[in-house]
Amino acid sequence: MRKLLALILALALCAMTPACAEGELHRIGVIVYNTADEEVLGFKEYLKGYIEQNFEMVEFVYSYSINSEEQELQFIQAACDSGVEGFLSFTSYDLPREVELCAENGAYYLLASGTVAAEDFEAVQDNPYFLGAFGPGQPFEFQAGADIARYFIREKAGTRFFVLSGGAALGNEMHYQRTLGVLDTLASAYGASFPLTRDAIARTAEPLTVETDRVSITVCPGYLRMEDAFNAAKAAFEAGEYDAVLSVLPPLDAVDFIGKTPLGVIDSYNTRNLQLVTEGVLKVVVGKYNSIVGPAFALMLNAVTGYAEDFRENGKAVQVIQGFWTSENAEDYNDKYALSTSAAMNAYNFDDLAHVIRIYNPDADLNALCALAEACSYRAVQARRAAM
């Protein structure tokens, strides 16, 4: 397996064509959990299709699907050996180890869109090669779960809920917080008190049903791209009857066994979800959009061009909060999907980003970059594009 992964990376690197003269190209690694995931593909379309074309000194080196800490560390080392100067990461198994390896190689590490446990962030925040984290953070992750639960409560969908909790049992802080949001909101709405703690329910490693005379909640863990997790979810769903499915991760092929059961997801504004919204199966979407990673790229470019120290907060890595967009009907989803995927009207375009990148703007600073990143709501993006 180790040799195969090295060969895959070598072939990818050999296929690169430098975008500018030797010595001016900055190679940035991108660490992803699943190369076929719609959200990953959306980010890639923006980074490779828009950022690379407009920032000609940049080239992105994508990982294969990273499914373990060993694979992530192997990719980091191989990429550093090839000249990669920093990493935009969309997955993390052991943040301190990943940052330590990057530091040993003089490469920067940035969580480009995600949420990690506070103790993991604090363990590396003083390391100069750890730039920080962009993403919803724990409060917004929790709120996302609460929002999809609240939709079905408001719509009086029923009292039998099937919850796909993803990696909540495997240390995935994003999925854990989202699942807590779902559980707390349902329990509060139906006045339910369960014999197990909310933490035990959210982190269950096996399908688990908790119920009272007013509500029934089945929590099914696992990454659905894994055959065992998919089969377990399918079996659990088919063994019961449910009024709604709430998924804290992309449902993938689970939509086949879910059928016409009303579905709510925390995912992204992508083509697959557009299809499900149009078909009427997907009722509520809380999600990210393609170019939301633009400010994270800007911070990385500042670092690899020599300005890393100027973009730290009192010498520490930064945490930048970026929330989700939400759609509860097809018309709203279509409007937001169009802005998420448009090449002509990106939510974060070249001018937006160049303003907070030091090599383009000598006055660029961390405050302006954070302010731009946090102006990520649909309304803020509309205002920015209307001002063009």
Side-chain angles (χ1 to χ4, degrees), residues 62 95 107 110-111 178 184 208 297 301 310 321 330 337 359 371:
Y62 262 75
L95 186 61
L110 172 63
L111 291 166
R178 294 170 187 179
D184 281 12
L208 170 70
F297 157 74
L301 187 56
D310 295 337
I321 302 300
Y337 171 81
I359 60 174

Side-chain angles (χ1 to χ4, degrees), residues 226-238:
M226 305 297 188
E227 184 177 359
D228 289 348
F230 178 86
N231 290 338
K234 184 174 185 292
F237 184 84
E238 293 177 344

Side-chain angles (χ1 to χ4, degrees), residues 220-299:
C220 192
Y223 295 111
L224 296 173
R225 66 180 186 273
M226 305 297 188
E227 184 177 359
D228 289 348
F230 178 86
N231 290 338
K234 184 174 185 292
F237 184 84
E238 293 177 344
E241 294 184 3
Y242 300 97
D243 300 309
V245 176
L246 296 82
S247 181
V248 306
L249 76 170
L252 303 179
D253 291 338
V255 296
D256 294 336
F257 65 73
I258 289 171
K260 295 184 178 180
T261 307
L263 171 66
V265 302
I266 305 171
D267 186 11
S268 65
Y269 282 77
N270 60 62
T271 304
R272 178 58 172 144
N273 286 338
L274 174 64
Q275 178 184 354
L276 295 175
V277 167
T278 302
E279 292 173 354
V281 175
L282 183 51
K283 303 296 186 181
V284 55
V285 177
V286 178
K288 301 173 185 177
Y289 51 93
N290 293 2
S291 66
I292 198 170
V293 298
F297 157 74
L299 180 57

Side-chain angles (χ1 to χ4, degrees), residues 142-223:
F142 182 93
Q143 187 62 44
D147 285 345
I148 60 172
R150 194 171 291 114
Y151 170 84
F152 289 113
I153 294 166
R154 188 173 65 248
E155 295 297 313
K156 296 181 170 55
T159 59
R160 300 167 300 180
F161 300 97
F162 188 81
V163 180
L164 291 166
S165 61
L170 303 171
N172 186 314
E173 185 69 13
M174 294 184 294
H175 293 175
Y176 172 64
Q177 291 294 333
R178 294 170 187 179
T179 303
L180 284 181
V182 169
L183 294 174
D184 281 12
T185 303
L186 292 177
S188 176
Y190 292 96
S193 178
F194 302 116
L196 296 175
T197 65
R198 60 200 285 269
D199 180 74
I201 299 171
R203 294 191 188 277
T204 181
E206 302 290 339
L208 170 70
T209 299
V210 290
E211 56 188 342
T212 68
D213 57 352
R214 298 190 62 189
V215 65
S216 174
I217 305 172
T218 295
V219 178
C220 192
Y223 295 111

Side-chain angles (χ1 to χ4, degrees), residues 301-324:
L301 187 56
N302 278 317
V304 300
T305 53
Y307 300 101
E309 292 184 7
D310 295 337
F311 286 81
R312 297 183 71 79
E313 191 169 22
N314 298 320
K316 298 181 182 294
V318 299
Q319 280 190 294
V320 182
I321 302 300
Q322 292 183 300
F324 298 97

Side-chain angles (χ1 to χ4, degrees), residues 35-193:
T35 57
D37 179 82
E38 291 275 2
E39 181 179 271
V40 170
L41 291 172
F43 291 156
K44 186 174 184 178
E45 179 181 342
Y46 175 68
L47 293 174
K48 296 286 288 184
Y50 183 80
I51 294 296
E52 255 190 26
Q53 301 307 311
N54 287 275
F55 295 85
E56 295 183 353
M57 79 292 292
V58 172
E59 186 166 45
F60 294 104
V61 179
Y62 262 75
S63 75
Y64 35 81
S65 296
I66 299 295
N67 293 310
S68 69
E69 174 66 5
E70 181 184 16
Q71 288 182 359
E72 183 166 4
L73 295 176
Q74 287 173 358
F75 174 75
I76 289 172
Q77 187 59 61
C80 287
D81 291 343
S82 76
V84 165
E85 301 172 74
F87 295 88
L88 297 175
S89 181
F90 294 95
T91 187
S92 175
Y93 287 86
D94 188 332
L95 186 61
R97 286 185 67 192
E98 292 145 14
V99 171
E100 180 183 7
L101 180 59
C102 285
E104 291 173 1
N105 286 276
Y108 296 100
Y109 190 96
L110 172 63
L111 291 166
S113 184
T115 298
V116 295
E119 57 268 25
D120 290 335
F121 185 92
E122 291 167 1
V124 294
Q125 65 182 349
D126 293 318
N127 190 311
Y129 287 97
F130 178 60
L131 301 180
F134 286 67
Q138 293 178 347
F140 277 105
E141 298 286 8
F142 182 93
Q143 187 62 44
D147 285 345
I148 60 172
R150 194 171 291 114
Y151 170 84
F152 289 113
I153 294 166
R154 188 173 65 248
E155 295 297 313
K156 296 181 170 55
T159 59
R160 300 167 300 180
F161 300 97
F162 188 81
V163 180
L164 291 166
S165 61
L170 303 171
N172 186 314
E173 185 69 13
M174 294 184 294
H175 293 175
Y176 172 64
Q177 291 294 333
R178 294 170 187 179
T179 303
L180 284 181
V182 169
L183 294 174
D184 281 12
T185 303
L186 292 177
S188 176
Y190 292 96
S193 178

